[in-house]
Amino acid sequence: MESDAEQKARPAVPPDAVTEPLADIIDPDNFTPRLLALLSNALVWRESHELRRRFGFGTNDWRIISALAIRPGASATEVSEFLGLNKAVISKAVTKLVDHHLVMLVDGPRGSRPMYLTRAGGEMHDAMLPISMRGQEIILADLSPDDIERLNSLLRRMLEKTRELQILENGYHAAAAL
């Protein structure tokens, strides 16, 4: 039984608050978007913790370094689209990476700003890469090569379907606003 102090410490529940689970809910153990998000969050947290501990940079910094290793000369907009990150996040991280002499911006055609890794940025990429690859090892450890190929194929299809849905929904919302 609760003491008077425990009862007083607990906030009063407003009369219109829902205090019991609803009848029509998702099954959290079998809701794929939740499972994917939890997996992604765990991997990103692990990676970010290690990158910050070892290098003083986070996952967004690493993602930009990695993207520029793959696509030298990409603009911030191209990196944003490639990574699926907000342009403001990209801008903040790029500023930090430029300040640390890991990324350089050059003047491009029509006011564009192609980005390149510096030599120090390339070295940082090579030092950070094993931390990111460890995340891949963790999630693929119990899968056969055929399972990995199938998983990656399914994930690419899901990403494509998600992009198609976003385009359809954006078109619907634009038409509804007219």
Side-chain angles (χ1 to χ4, degrees):
M1 186 145 212
E2 285 185 332
S3 69
D4 288 340
E6 289 172 327
Q7 286 179 348
K8 289 178 184 176
R10 194 170 14 138
V13 176
D16 62 339
V18 175
T19 60
E20 297 294 324
L22 298 178
D24 190 18
I25 60 171
I26 63 170
D27 174 359
D29 294 329
N30 291 299
F31 188 62
T32 306
R34 175 183 178 271
L35 297 174
L36 287 170
L38 290 173
L39 176 61
S40 176
N41 290 346
L43 291 169
V44 169
W45 183 90
R46 182 206 63 83
E47 180 181 83
S48 187
H49 177 76
E50 280 300 301
L51 291 171
R52 287 196 188 286
R53 186 177 70 79
R54 293 189 195 179
F55 305 107
F57 294 99
T59 297
N60 290 333
D61 306 313
W62 159 246
R63 288 173 176 167
I64 292 167
I65 290 170
S66 178
L68 293 176
I70 296 166
R71 297 177 172 201
S75 69
T77 299
E78 291 166 335
V79 169
S80 173
E81 291 170 359
F82 178 68
L83 296 175
L85 291 175
N86 182 289
K87 290 179 192 175
V89 171
I90 300 294
S91 178
K92 182 178 177 183
V94 167
T95 298
K96 179 180 178 182
L97 295 170
V98 168
D99 289 347
H100 284 84
H101 308 288
L102 300 175
V103 169
M104 67 174 69
L105 302 171
V106 299
D107 293 328
R110 298 179 309 277
S112 67
R113 300 292 309 258
M115 299 185 295
Y116 297 90
L117 293 176
T118 63
R119 290 200 190 286
E123 291 169 5
M124 181 62 74
H125 170 272
D126 293 348
M128 293 173 136
L129 181 62
I131 294 170
S132 190
M133 295 306 294
R134 180 67 183 123
Q136 173 141 319
E137 292 169 10
I138 290 168
I139 61 174
L140 301 181
D142 296 329
L143 302 178
S144 71
D146 286 345
D147 289 339
I148 294 168
E149 185 177 325
R150 178 84 173 130
L151 173 63
N152 287 338
S153 175
L154 288 168
L155 290 170
R156 285 189 296 272
R157 278 190 12 219
M158 287 180 217
L159 284 169
E160 185 58 34
K161 290 287 185 191
T162 302
R163 287 185 196 110
E164 290 171 8
L165 182 59
Q166 286 173 330
I167 290 167
L168 285 172
E169 287 180 352
N170 288 342
Y172 169 79
H173 292 301
L178 295 178

